[in-house]
Amino acid sequence: MKNKYPFPIMIMHWLTLCLVVLAYLTGGDPTVHLKSGELHVFAGVSVFLLFFIRIIMIFTYRKDIPLNKPMSKYQRTLFLMVKYTLYSLLFLIPVLGWVTLSGLTESYQFFGMSLPLISNSWDVEKIGEIHEFLGNSFMVLIGFHALAALIHHYVFKDNVLKSMLYFKK
Ligand code: HEM
Ligand code: HEM
């Protein structure tokens, strides 16, 4: 039985983390904070694109994904809940950011490219607030997810963290 995630999935996992952290650190109205805004949109759009590549990869490598056995039924439910919430937010947060940006400006250039915007008459102020709230909640959830991985490693001393690390035997 495989005890490590396939290498491309590991890359995707850690690259997504870097981009989410970059998006979080550069958070703010991209039409006001021009330079950091460009980075924010770049990181957020990349997270969005990687989401789809990740789904394709998980499907492609489904037979090679390690079965990290949860300790109880309750733990398994919690793991799945966190996993699917993380997945949903990887999709939802960039979409809400994109809708907000579309309401704030008629056109948006980043790194010489024009971002396609959608004309909408929604309450972008409210959607912007939800985007911000979910962005902050995402970081808290990632914190719990990381803490769980560290508890597995240092307290339960099992294979969970190592399964996502290339170098650790
Ligand atoms: C995982 C990806 C993303 C995360 C974690 C994230 C997080 C955040 C956070 C925390 C803020 C509030 C910052 C503050 O005001 O202190 C923010 C603002 C904003 N973000 Fe994002 N964002 C992401 C992706 C995107 C994308 C893809 C776009 C646009 C295409 C975008 C557009 C915006 C806009 C327009 C605001 C200002 C909202 C307002 O002032 O009401 N974001 N983002
Ligand atoms: C943006 C941040 C993160 C996101 C969105 C995320 C998301 C995920 C997802 C969805 C999985 C399930 C495998 C998959 O479908 O790809 C997973 C697995 C895992 N993640 Fe994260 N993760 C993040 C950050 C972290 C951090 C900071 C750590 C540790 C310090 C970590 C450690 C792990 C481990 C050990 C697994 C394997 C768990 C298992 O199979 O039992 N992740 N992550």
Side-chain angles (χ1 to χ4, degrees), residues 2 74 86 90 93 113 115 122 132 136-137 159 165 167:
K2 301 270 188 314
Y74 159 78
L86 286 171
L90 285 174
I93 294 173
M113 285 179 290
L115 188 75
W122 301 315
E132 181 177 351
N136 290 325
S137 312
N159 186 54
L165 299 176
F167 293 108

Side-chain angles (χ1 to χ4, degrees), residues 7-48:
F7 186 58
I9 293 184
M10 285 183 195
I11 303 248
M12 198 63 52
H13 180 267
W14 297 114
L15 185 59
T16 302
L17 171 66
C18 296
L19 290 165
V20 167
V21 171
L22 180 61
Y24 183 73
L25 294 177
T26 52
D29 184 344
T31 60
V32 176
H33 311 283
L34 298 179
K35 276 282 155 243
S36 62
E38 237 177 350
L39 277 177
H40 185 71
V41 173
F42 165 75
V45 168
S46 306
V47 167
F48 185 66

Side-chain angles (χ1 to χ4, degrees), residues 143-162:
F144 281 127
H145 171 70
L147 186 67
L150 294 176
I151 290 177
H152 271 283
H153 189 67
Y154 290 108
V155 181
F156 303 144
K157 300 191 190 306
D158 60 19
N159 186 54
V160 169
L161 180 59
K162 283 188 257 181

Side-chain angles (χ1 to χ4, degrees), residues 78-95:
L78 194 66
F79 170 74
L80 289 177
M81 268 167 61
V82 171
K83 178 169 149 173
Y84 291 119
T85 310
L86 286 171
Y87 267 114
S88 316
L89 292 177
L90 285 174
F91 175 81
L92 198 59
I93 294 173
V95 168

Side-chain angles (χ1 to χ4, degrees), residues 112-127:
M113 285 179 290
S114 179
L115 188 75
L117 298 174
I118 34 162
S119 63
N120 67 68
S121 52
W122 301 315
D123 183 354
V124 285
E125 207 175 297
K126 196 97 234 116
I127 297 173

Side-chain angles (χ1 to χ4, degrees), residues 53-67:
I53 300 177
R54 188 184 198 132
I55 301 273
I56 294 170
M57 275 190 179
I58 292 284
F59 186 72
T60 311
Y61 291 104
R62 64 190 179 286
K63 292 202 181 94
D64 300 324
I65 290 184
L67 277 176

